[in-house]
Amino acid sequence: MNTSILLANIVFDAYRTSSVFNQLVVIVLVLLSVYTLANMVGKRGALSIINRRNQKLLRQLRTKPHPAQLYLEVQGRFAPGIPMADIYAAAIKEMLSLLRKRGVLETDVAGWSAGLAPVALTESEIDSIRSCAESELEEQLIVIEDKMSSLATCTSIAPSLGLFGTVWGVMESFMAMADSGSTMMITSVAPGISGALLTTVVGLLIAIPASWGYNVLSDRVRSNSVKTRNFTDQLLADIARHHVRYGGDGA
């Protein structure tokens, strides 16, 4: 007999002979596995989109002599789902606001080329830009890490729920054995115990691949988070390089 068919029959027989409570636990575990799988696939796709769009933004920025020129070209409008773009927009918007107070127009920045003397910003103004960028960074890190806590919960709860179903089923079987006295044979109790063990098997079958998938996603989330933090630091350094302080607290 085919091994897969044999395993299917064993699982079906165990499910059929288990109590209503254990059957309910198995159904909950199956639904939990579907939910976890759907979220993992969705999260993987979202991280791929984020990474692809972030890389596109970086390539565009490398072609510009001044960090604000891309922002001015697209008039501050970027496609959604780009954490780096939101951080970039927040920092550049604050920088342009400060430059306007010094009489520097956006057309001046748009036409800036390498070799031209920069307009100085004070240390407090650079700190203001840094504050805007870092505030947006924290919000974007939440976006990148979205759903990871719920996936971790699903991964850890599956074996626990399966074990709970097993303990409950075994307890029911032994209580039935105790109530029947010595007349109840082990052959009568064995199917109930087998059904009770099914919940642990299903819980482990869900938890093992889910744990692997969660760890893979965690690595991708960590990679995206590090890249986004590094981008923020590089952007702030680039702004400071173009708008260094010349002395005093003025231009």
Side-chain angles (χ1 to χ4, degrees):
M1 181 181 291
N2 189 288
T3 304
S4 60
I5 296 177
L6 179 61
L7 290 174
N9 288 335
I10 292 174
V11 171
F12 177 76
D13 288 340
Y15 178 80
R16 181 175 53 81
T17 57
S18 61
S19 65
V20 175
F21 178 79
N22 283 81
Q23 290 178 348
L24 180 62
V25 170
V26 171
I27 293 173
V28 171
L29 285 170
V30 171
L31 293 176
L32 184 65
S33 69
V34 173
Y35 171 81
T36 303
L37 178 61
N39 275 278
M40 285 187 171
V41 172
K43 186 62 180 177
R44 183 180 183 277
L47 289 173
S48 297
I49 292 172
I50 287 173
N51 187 60
R52 185 168 61 250
R53 291 179 174 177
N54 280 342
Q55 292 302 316
K56 181 180 179 181
L57 175 70
L58 289 174
R59 288 194 300 269
Q60 292 174 324
L61 276 175
R62 291 190 189 106
T63 65
K64 307 300 179 185
H66 191 282
Q69 288 177 338
L70 177 62
Y71 178 89
L72 295 173
E73 283 184 9
V74 300
Q75 298 180 344
R77 294 192 294 269
F78 295 93
I82 315 178
M84 289 184 184
D86 288 340
I87 295 167
Y88 168 73
I92 297 302
K93 184 178 180 181
E94 177 67 12
M95 184 193 71
L96 292 175
S97 175
L98 294 171
L99 289 176
R100 279 194 296 269
K101 294 177 181 178
R102 293 178 172 272
V104 181
L105 301 178
E106 293 181 355
T107 52
D108 298 327
V109 178
W112 191 92
S113 59
L116 294 180
V119 176
L121 291 174
T122 65
E123 184 177 343
S124 61
E125 289 170 331
I126 293 295
D127 287 342
S128 177
I129 297 171
R130 179 178 294 105
S131 177
C132 289
E134 291 180 348
S135 295
E136 188 63 34
L137 168 65
E138 295 304 320
E139 292 186 14
Q140 293 307 314
L141 290 178
I142 293 174
V143 173
I144 293 173
E145 296 169 5
D146 182 44
K147 295 183 180 178
M148 292 303 293
S149 60
S150 63
L151 288 176
T153 301
C154 292
T155 301
S156 61
I157 202 175
S160 300
L161 183 59
L163 180 61
F164 174 69
T166 294
V167 172
W168 186 274
V170 171
M171 182 181 67
E172 284 185 332
S173 297
F174 280 112
M175 287 178 64
M177 182 184 295
D179 290 342
S180 64
S182 59
T183 60
M184 190 170 189
M185 303 298 293
I186 189 64
T187 53
S188 301
V189 183
I193 296 178
S194 174
L197 292 173
L198 177 63
T199 59
T200 295
V201 173
V202 174
L204 291 174
L205 287 175
I206 295 170
I208 292 171
S211 296
W212 176 81
Y214 175 79
N215 289 332
V216 172
L217 286 176
S218 294
D219 289 340
R220 294 195 176 191
V221 167
R222 190 178 304 111
S223 176
N224 272 276
S225 298
V226 169
K227 289 177 181 178
T228 304
R229 287 185 183 277
N230 290 341
F231 167 77
T232 304
D233 293 338
Q234 291 167 4
L235 174 64
L236 293 171
D238 197 22
I239 291 173
R241 186 173 67 252
H242 285 86
H243 301 279
V244 292
R245 182 186 179 192
Y246 284 131
D249 204 40

